[in-house]
Amino acid sequence: MSRLSLALAVVWPTVEYTDPEAIYTNTADNHNGHEGAGAVVATVRAIQNRSPRFSWQLASQLLNQTQVAYRIIAGVTAGSDDAWDSGIVYSQDSVHIVWGGRALSSREVIYWTVSVIPSLIPSGEECWVQSDVAQFEMGLLDSSDWEDRFLSLTLSYGTLIAGIMILGQILWPVMLSVPPMRARLYISGLGFYRAFIDGQLVNPLRLDVPQTNYFKRVFYDTYDLTTVISLATKHVLGIELGNGFFNPLPLQFWGSLNLRDYLAVGERPQLIAQLEIQYTGSSTQVFYTAPCKNMQTESCWTVGPGPYTANDIYLGVIYDSRLETPDWVNYEFDATTWELASAAPPSALDDLSLLEANSIPPIIAESTPLQAVSTWLSPGSTSIYVANMGKNFAGIVRLQISLQGIQPVAGASIKLRYGELLYSDGSLNVMTSVAGQIKGRGVGGPCAPDVAYQTDSYILNGSEEAIDFLPSFTWHGFQYVEVDMSALGIPLTTDMLSAYVIHADVRSNGVFECSSEVLNQIWSMFQTTLLSNLMAVQSDCPHRERFGYGGDLLATSESGMLTFDMSQFYAKRLSDFSDDQRQNGGFTECAPYNGIADHGFGDGSGPVDWQSVFPQLALEQYQYYGNLLALQLAYPYAKDFIQLMLSNLDTVQNGLGDWMTIEPSPTQLTGLGILFADLVAMSQIASILGFNDESEDFLVHSTEISDMINSQFFDETLGLYAAQDNSWNGTQCAQSMPLYMGITPTGSISSAYNNLLLDIAKQDAHLACGMFGIKWVLLTLSDMGATSTALQMAEQKSYPSFGYMLDQGASTIWESWFYSDNTYSHNHPMFGSVAQWVMSSLAGIHLLPSSVAFNPLVIAPRPSLGLSYVSASYTSIRGDIVCSWTLDEATLLFDMNVTIPHNTIAYVYVPTDLESHSTMKTLGGGSYSFQSKLVA
């Protein structure tokens, strides 16, 4: 962030909560024969919102520093106010301040600063503190800003062969008269694209643009090409297109579900691009995608074949190096034998208002690749090797082999297969990562392989001196790689194989460490698992399905937000669900909608427990990030959803329940309980937005649902929640959910809690619940003063437990409590709410239901015997929140250090015993230390 270093204060400004510089410099390498000249290309995080929102952080060396007033000035040059002068605004608000200046135009670059008056001003200091100058850039705001429509690969290079699209390359020559002052490339390629300028790769990650319902919303990227364009007067722009989710194979998932029947798809990849070159003065030259009739008289987009003869999200790629076209992204390249690009066939994409600037963090490859840890011959083979990459993750493999002294055979191939597990003999087990459970002849349809495992193939051209293969347009979830080396006749060694870990570039916001190595490993497992499943959606797994399930997100959203900056990513997930809302008001089980609608309400809607992510995630956007716009956008959709739920209470009780539980799932109870939480959230949202009568209505309905739960399922005499047919009775999930949500009658809390403890004892202090119950059980225990019991459950090493997963060699969280070697994923974040408990209970960092962007905030650690120290921090939009404590078990002396962001209020609870008693202190920004002797 931009900083102004003063003894008194520092102001850090951001717009739209993006990277304040709004630019990523692209330095990734260019593989497979496309080496660039090394000129700088930068990704511009353009803003589509006509009313951008501004945030800043106030830091100070003084305690309890607050903001008295602020003033924002913005203009087309640094220091000017010709776009906006807010005037002096007497307010402590510093998060998501809405633009109040003149109308902003497409392409504008605006420079801005914020000045604040702090509450504490030492003698001799200036009363105003000013930030450094920051800037932001507007995208193309109107459909009329686009000169033409999408282009498509021509039929010759878009033919379906065995159900797999052949990839084409699109070429575009550009000639300039004088060096430019500014050059911007606006581009969207469906499903994925790779852009080159004069041979240099523009977008390094090969997985642009993010998946959406493409017929409702399409992201475009913006690149600053000024430097590279300035180097010469002749240029060529080359694009490679991949299928992505826009043109998936017609695989029959689970033998029946064809994604093409439900996703927004096309028959061929498509492209829209616009290169705008601005010269000194005001003249602008625009090159854009448009059909061309005569290459001799026009600068035309041409289409030719590429080396990727197959590319698929699930099955991987086939790269035929014999089809490489050297120097194809070169101005002197003769493309007269290529075909002219054609206009895309008529579709919803003709509406260019669907295009909006990509607002979510880009998918990146971590800078340090993983190196193969070990390699060995697969049992029974003389040429097939297996490599261990050291951990389970999502990414792509890079194969680098020197062929010195080897005469490769043209047309021979090196095949790679990927899996999470090994069989007992050391051979690769692909079965937990097979696409759509396609595991048999004919199961996946006429175009599907018998087993739809992840694979990539490199076909030799016979003349290469070395192989350097890094696949594009796909990714895999794996730990082990099988490589067939029969085409080369040499062994696979560890130096030949590396891998890039791939995920959305969400900033790490949460840090946790403690004296328990098991908890440290669990925290690390969750981080790796979540990142493996952050591409364009938060997916269930990075291989078998890759779908954006609502229930998985509902169970883990707060863990995600306490670990990474999910502000933009989760805002995009809200738009995914609203874009696919059904006509009856229901939300889909997965978004984008893919046809899955288990236990739903008709019209393609999902079960209540999966739909409910929408209102609850919208409220969390406000509580964690202060995103009022998220509430404003979500509210009308959420109202329709609530109406559907209240009109179908029988279906509400027939959801999917506490998924993957050991004990019977209390499905009727969880359905109603989650609806109760929805209604409470909606009452709060309505109140925030000023709809007070509606807020009261939601609250009344929540009371009705609470009463319904207790009348149907609760025995007040016994303090027991049970099904009327006794199919579930006093389970961990059934007892903890009403306690956690405040549904249990006040006079029965003690007996209901005792029954929870009885069931935990019955399960020998093991978690026996599913993906929702984990959160409710652990947080309820800590809130009720039994952190030691929660700690015992979290640290267990025997089945079922996270420690059991670790002892089986897991580096990521599983889909099931038991070890599965044939069906269930080993990289599944849905059990990840344990991370929320670690941060909010052990470290004590959490918010209140009324919090706005973590103001006010709570620091209330729950110490326990068995933990000698905890050290944690969370980077909120307002600044860093820190809590670290030590406990001397011999003396019960407790020491705690906390840091609170300035311009906020914190309620700090200093423990006085090992249960839930503490002393509360109300504090402002700064760092504080506390010590207490705990009562045993």
Side-chain angles (χ1 to χ4, degrees), residues 11 52-58 66-73 84-100 112-119 127-131 903:
V11 181
R53 296 158 295 167
F54 298 76
S55 303
W56 55 90
Q57 296 176 7
L58 182 66
T66 59
Q67 173 184 291
V68 174
Y70 70 84
R71 180 187 181 190
I72 298 172
I73 63 169
W84 183 27
D85 183 346
S86 70
I88 300 175
V89 180
Y90 287 92
S91 170
Q92 285 189 295
D93 293 343
S94 62
V95 173
H96 287 284
I97 306 301
V98 179
W99 174 265
W112 71 284
T113 61
V114 59
S115 300
V116 305
I117 299 177
S119 59
C127 66
W128 284 98
V129 181
Q130 182 175 313
S131 74
N903 207 35

Side-chain angles (χ1 to χ4, degrees), residues 251-255 434-440 443-445 448-453:
L251 300 174
Q252 301 287 338
F253 277 55
W254 304 285
V434 169
Q437 301 290 0
I438 298 171
K439 301 173 182 177
V443 172
D450 292 348
V451 178
Y453 50 72

Side-chain angles (χ1 to χ4, degrees), residues 630-674:
L631 300 187
Q632 295 167 333
L633 293 175
Y635 188 64
Y637 297 97
K639 282 177 61 178
D640 290 344
F641 154 73
I642 289 293
Q643 184 58 50
L644 178 67
M645 298 300 105
L646 292 175
S647 302
N648 295 272
L649 291 179
D650 287 344
T651 308
V652 166
Q653 297 178 68
N654 189 34
L656 291 177
D658 193 24
W659 193 247
M660 295 304 287
T661 180
I662 301 295
E663 296 179 317
S665 172
T667 301
Q668 304 100 312
L669 179 65
T670 57
L672 289 171
I674 289 174

Side-chain angles (χ1 to χ4, degrees), residues 590-774:
C590 300
Y593 179 54
N594 54 20
I596 298 176
D598 300 308
H599 297 251
F601 294 69
D603 196 25
S605 61
V608 60
D609 8 31
W610 268 242
Q611 295 191 53
S612 294
V613 68
F614 189 81
Q616 296 189 41
L617 184 62
L619 180 58
E620 288 166 0
Q621 278 279 302
Y622 184 70
Q623 293 168 327
Y624 277 79
Y625 306 118
N627 189 348
L628 180 63
L629 180 61
L631 300 187
Q632 295 167 333
L633 293 175
Y635 188 64
Y637 297 97
K639 282 177 61 178
D640 290 344
F641 154 73
I642 289 293
Q643 184 58 50
L644 178 67
M645 298 300 105
L646 292 175
S647 302
N648 295 272
L649 291 179
D650 287 344
T651 308
V652 166
Q653 297 178 68
N654 189 34
L656 291 177
D658 193 24
W659 193 247
M660 295 304 287
T661 180
I662 301 295
E663 296 179 317
S665 172
T667 301
Q668 304 100 312
L669 179 65
T670 57
L672 289 171
I674 289 174
L675 176 57
F676 169 83
D678 293 337
L679 290 163
V680 172
M682 286 297 291
S683 176
Q684 190 171 347
I685 293 171
S687 177
I688 293 166
L689 297 179
F691 304 120
N692 295 326
D693 289 344
E694 294 180 8
S695 174
E696 183 60 30
D697 287 343
F698 289 127
L699 205 56
V700 168
H701 285 306
S702 72
T703 301
E704 293 170 350
I705 296 299
S706 176
D707 292 344
M708 183 178 178
I709 288 172
N710 288 324
S711 65
Q712 283 188 207
F713 306 115
F714 188 54
D715 184 326
E716 286 198 47
T717 303
L718 299 176
L720 198 69
Y721 285 91
Q724 293 174 349
D725 62 1
N726 211 40
S727 57
W728 50 268
N729 186 318
T731 64
Q732 292 178 14
C733 180
Q735 294 301 122
S736 65
M737 188 208 75
L739 286 167
Y740 176 79
M741 293 185 179
I743 293 172
T744 305
T746 303
S748 301
I749 289 176
S750 178
S751 59
Y753 174 61
N754 288 335
N755 278 309
L756 171 60
L757 295 178
L758 285 174
D759 190 82
I760 291 171
K762 176 183 172 183
Q763 299 296 335
D764 196 22
H766 286 72
L767 286 163
C769 48
M771 71 179 195
F772 294 123
I774 294 169

Side-chain angles (χ1 to χ4, degrees), residues 61-350:
Q61 296 176 2
L62 305 177
L63 291 178
N64 196 22
Q65 184 70 275
T66 59
Q67 173 184 291
V68 174
Y70 70 84
R71 180 187 181 190
I72 298 172
I73 63 169
V76 295
T77 58
S80 69
D81 61 0
D82 52 10
W84 183 27
D85 183 346
S86 70
I88 300 175
V89 180
Y90 287 92
S91 170
Q92 285 189 295
D93 293 343
S94 62
V95 173
H96 287 284
I97 306 301
V98 179
W99 174 265
R102 63 163 172 79
L104 294 169
S105 303
S106 297
R107 310 173 183 84
E108 271 198 294
V109 176
I110 298 294
Y111 298 86
W112 71 284
T113 61
V114 59
S115 300
V116 305
I117 299 177
S119 59
L120 303 176
I121 306 171
S123 176
E125 295 280 357
E126 295 288 335
C127 66
W128 284 98
V129 181
Q130 182 175 313
S131 74
D132 287 345
V133 177
Q135 71 179 72
F136 62 93
E137 181 170 330
M138 303 303 292
L140 302 183
L141 304 181
D142 299 298
S143 58
S144 58
D145 291 324
W146 295 91
E147 298 290 343
D148 214 299
R149 56 187 290 186
F150 277 86
L151 292 180
S152 175
L153 290 181
T154 53
L155 188 61
S156 300
Y157 302 113
T159 305
L160 287 174
I161 296 179
I164 298 177
M165 178 74 73
I166 290 182
L167 181 72
Q169 297 176 147
I170 298 181
L171 202 60
W172 193 22
V174 176
M175 181 176 288
L176 310 181
S177 54
V178 294
M181 182 178 72
R182 162 181 152 138
R184 291 292 186 269
L185 173 64
Y186 305 97
I187 181 171
S188 182
L190 303 178
F192 296 138
Y193 73 90
R194 289 212 301 167
F196 299 86
I197 181 73
D198 303 335
Q200 180 183 350
L201 187 60
V202 172
N203 60 318
L205 266 301
R206 305 163 165 90
L207 293 175
D208 301 312
V209 291
Q211 183 196 12
T212 56
N213 178 340
Y214 301 118
F215 296 160
K216 296 287 185 69
R217 189 185 311 267
V218 178
F219 287 125
Y220 67 87
D221 293 319
T222 306
Y223 299 100
D224 181 355
L225 302 187
T226 307
T227 300
V228 66
I229 290 290
S230 299
L231 295 177
T233 58
K234 294 182 178 181
H235 306 276
V236 65
L237 185 66
I239 313 292
E240 287 184 331
L241 293 176
N243 294 314
F245 282 103
F246 183 69
N247 188 34
L249 286 172
L251 300 174
Q252 301 287 338
F253 277 55
W254 304 285
S256 61
L257 181 69
N258 183 352
L259 299 181
R260 297 188 66 89
D261 293 338
Y262 301 97
L263 295 176
V265 300
E267 295 182 359
R268 286 162 258 164
Q270 297 184 18
L271 169 72
I272 190 168
Q274 194 158 295
L275 177 60
E276 298 185 354
I277 301 173
Q278 182 179 349
Y279 301 98
T280 302
S282 59
S283 63
T284 301
Q285 193 172 8
V286 182
F287 301 86
Y288 55 91
T289 47
C292 176
K293 297 180 179 180
N294 190 335
M295 289 183 63
Q296 306 304 317
T297 59
E298 300 180 56
S299 179
C300 292
W301 286 91
T302 55
V303 182
Y308 283 95
T309 59
N311 73 101
D312 180 68
I313 285 289
Y314 296 99
L315 302 187
V317 306
I318 299 174
Y319 185 92
D320 191 341
S321 65
R322 296 172 299 178
L323 301 180
E324 290 180 346
T325 305
D327 299 323
W328 71 279
V329 195
N330 184 296
Y331 191 85
E332 305 303 327
F333 176 73
D334 183 6
T336 56
T337 60
W338 285 17
E339 296 187 12
L340 298 177
S342 62
S347 73
L349 295 173
D350 294 340

Side-chain angles (χ1 to χ4, degrees), residues 820-893:
S820 171
D821 65 357
N822 182 265
T823 303
Y824 295 106
S825 160
H826 285 242
N827 195 341
H828 227 82
M830 69 182 190
F831 286 169
S833 60
V834 62
Q836 180 182 352
W837 169 75
V838 160
M839 182 64 83
S840 63
S841 290
L842 296 185
I845 298 172
H846 61 275
L847 43 70
L848 293 170
S850 60
S851 294
V852 181
F854 259 93
N855 187 29
L857 65 95
V858 176
I859 299 178
R862 307 288 194 186
S864 172
L865 296 178
L867 280 182
S868 60
Y869 78 91
V870 163
S871 178
S873 65
Y874 172 73
T875 302
S876 76
I877 190 173
R878 298 182 186 276
D880 289 340
I881 305 167
V882 179
C883 178
S884 61
W885 56 262
T886 61
L887 175 63
D888 186 323
E889 294 196 13
T891 64
L892 293 185
L893 194 63

